[in-house]
Amino acid sequence: VNMTAYISISTLLYEYMEENNGRIICVSSMAGYSNGPYTSIYAASKHGISAFFENWRTELEMHKSDVSITVCILSLVATKSAMTAVKDILLESTIKRAANPN
């Protein structure tokens, strides 16, 4: 749903946006460009959003379209669920750095 909703809605409304100098703004994540444990589905959906809209933007520019596309790539946002998901990873990383300071 994460990726397909963005694509479905944007392509459905494309003609209207073309007629009205529309703007497409979507939110993706650095997770789409990196790897980490327990994030494969989330990362794949965010990579899909970035890849689709960055490529579509190039196609629209080639056709001199008035529709613009902005992809916002966010980093980790300190929400409760995000912090819960990464706390063990961060703890392990901190312990390794403390054990091997060089």
Side-chain angles (χ1 to χ4, degrees):
V1 171
N2 192 339
M3 179 180 70
T4 57
Y6 271 108
I7 294 171
S8 297
I9 292 168
S10 298
T11 54
L12 181 68
L13 296 175
Y14 173 73
E15 287 185 30
Y16 174 81
M17 289 189 289
E18 183 66 44
E19 295 169 3
N20 295 284
N21 297 325
R23 307 288 182 256
I24 298 170
I25 301 171
C26 53
V27 178
S28 188
S29 170
M30 284 301 297
Y33 295 96
S34 62
N35 59 8
Y38 315 114
T39 62
S40 56
I41 293 172
Y42 178 78
S45 71
K46 292 305 182 179
H47 178 77
I49 289 170
S50 299
F52 177 83
F53 285 99
E54 289 169 6
N55 283 286
W56 193 19
R57 177 176 48 223
T58 300
E59 294 169 8
L60 294 178
E61 290 170 353
M62 289 172 51
H63 294 286
K64 308 283 190 244
S65 172
D66 290 326
V67 175
S68 70
I69 296 177
T70 301
V71 180
C72 302
I73 309 292
L74 302 182
S75 180
L76 181 65
V77 177
T79 63
K80 184 177 179 180
S81 63
M83 293 299 99
T84 299
V86 300
K87 72 177 181 179
D88 292 334
I89 297 166
L90 295 174
L91 180 60
E92 183 179 315
S93 175
T94 302
I95 291 169
K96 283 181 182 178
R97 280 197 312 263
N100 299 307
N102 294 330

